[in-house]
Amino acid sequence: MSYPVLYSFRRCPYAMRARLAIAASAQTCQLREIVLRNKPAAMLAASPKGTVPVLILPDGQVIEQSLDIMLWALRRNDPQAWLAPTGSSLASMLTLIEACETHFKCHLDRYKYPQRFDLEDGLQHRELAAEWLMTLEQILSCTPYLSGTHCALADMAIIPFVRQFAHTDFAWFEMQAWPHVLRWLENWKQSDLFARVMNKYAPWEEGQAAVMFPPPMQVAHRQPGTAIP
Ligand SMILES: N[C@@H](CCC(=O)N[C@@H](CS)C(=O)NCC(=O)O)C(=O)O
């Protein structure tokens, strides 16, 4: 039996959200961890644009956008109803995700890597990103998750980017007036699902034995309170 192949990079927020949906929907894949500066030829042959994640299905179809991988997985199996939120709709979730990918991500990149954009520092972009995070704070002050009473697509498509923003300067982040964002982020970081998608893998090499993903529960198990770097 052949399985889809997922090219992934552990710390990439796009790859992270693809792995979250694949794990939540219990779709078994062969995971190929990559190093961004040394992308495998097999990955580039399938997806010349050269970003991760990339999912290659057994029939040869290539899915090369993280959100499309999430939707592919959840449309096959959605046991936690990520596509059917209680307080919103799929269309509204996609609108919020779009704002994260364009507006928030733009400021996140300039805050985290100002030198890449010829900026002296990224503080102005931290402020602009923080304004958008305050809109999430308002939502999360009314409902436990971004789209209602249970965790859904919008939460899992957005939260890896918020984690990256938070960990750029966590001491600053946790001092800000967004207790609900903090609670939402911390709960996710303590979740079994997060632990399952953050296992470390050696970079894939042509010809090696397949590494199956998601890992069995006990492999990803960790002591409560243990931080995942
Ligand atoms: N729109 C793409 C963006 C993916 C993306 O930009 N991934 C980054 C890593 S976080 C990447 O692969 N960059 C290529 C590189 O740095 O060479 C998606 O949603 O999958």
Side-chain angles (χ1 to χ4, degrees):
M1 179 167 185
S2 64
Y3 293 96
V5 170
L6 177 70
Y7 288 97
S8 181
F9 175 57
R10 180 175 177 271
R11 284 185 295 115
C12 164
Y14 296 102
M16 217 182 275
R17 70 186 189 180
R19 297 196 304 272
L20 286 164
I22 288 170
S25 64
Q27 301 302 303
T28 306
C29 299
Q30 293 183 40
L31 185 137
R32 296 181 178 176
E33 179 74 13
I34 72 145
V35 177
L36 287 175
R37 63 177 182 282
N38 186 21
K39 292 167 193 153
M43 177 184 127
L44 293 173
S47 178
K49 76 177 174 40
T51 63
V52 281
V54 175
L55 186 71
I56 303 171
L57 303 184
D59 68 0
Q61 190 191 334
V62 179
I63 309 179
E64 50 185 7
Q65 293 295 331
S66 54
L67 190 56
D68 291 337
I69 296 174
M70 294 184 87
L71 293 170
W72 169 84
L74 295 166
R75 284 178 176 143
R76 290 172 69 89
N77 184 31
D78 187 11
Q80 293 158 45
W82 284 16
L83 297 181
T86 51
S88 179
S89 62
L90 179 56
S92 304
M93 291 196 292
L94 292 175
T95 302
L96 193 60
I97 293 166
E98 169 79 15
C100 172
E101 280 183 24
T102 52
H103 179 76
F104 182 68
K105 174 78 165 90
C106 163
H107 296 305
L108 164 61
D109 287 346
R110 283 157 183 78
Y111 165 45
K112 191 170 164 67
Y113 309 107
Q115 63 290 353
R116 288 189 194 169
F117 298 92
D118 279 335
L119 295 169
E120 225 165 82
D121 64 49
L123 295 183
Q124 189 194 348
H125 291 281
R126 181 172 77 180
E127 289 316 305
L128 293 166
E131 277 174 25
W132 189 74
L133 271 190
M134 285 310 274
T135 65
L136 299 193
E137 174 66 14
Q138 277 167 9
I139 299 172
L140 293 169
S141 68
C142 302
T143 56
Y145 295 95
L146 290 177
S147 311
T149 53
H150 70 257
C151 177
L153 181 76
D155 302 277
M156 295 296 105
I158 291 172
I159 209 163
F161 299 94
V162 177
R163 174 179 180 265
Q164 200 176 55
F165 179 81
H167 286 270
T168 302
D169 180 351
F170 197 73
W172 175 86
F173 184 84
E174 64 178 352
M175 295 295 289
Q176 305 309 302
W178 40 49
H180 299 92
V181 169
L182 265 173
R183 179 257 310 151
W184 171 73
L185 181 63
E186 286 305 312
N187 285 348
W188 174 63
K189 281 162 49 184
Q190 295 302 325
S191 70
D192 287 342
L193 181 61
F194 179 65
R196 284 187 92 198
V197 305
M198 292 305 282
N199 269 355
K200 288 186 178 163
Y201 301 95
W204 174 75
E205 285 176 18
E206 190 81 55
Q208 77 167 59
V211 172
M212 305 317 284
F213 178 89
M217 284 289 190
Q218 63 274 23
V219 171
H221 189 74
R222 72 190 195 289
Q223 293 295 314
T226 309
I228 295 181

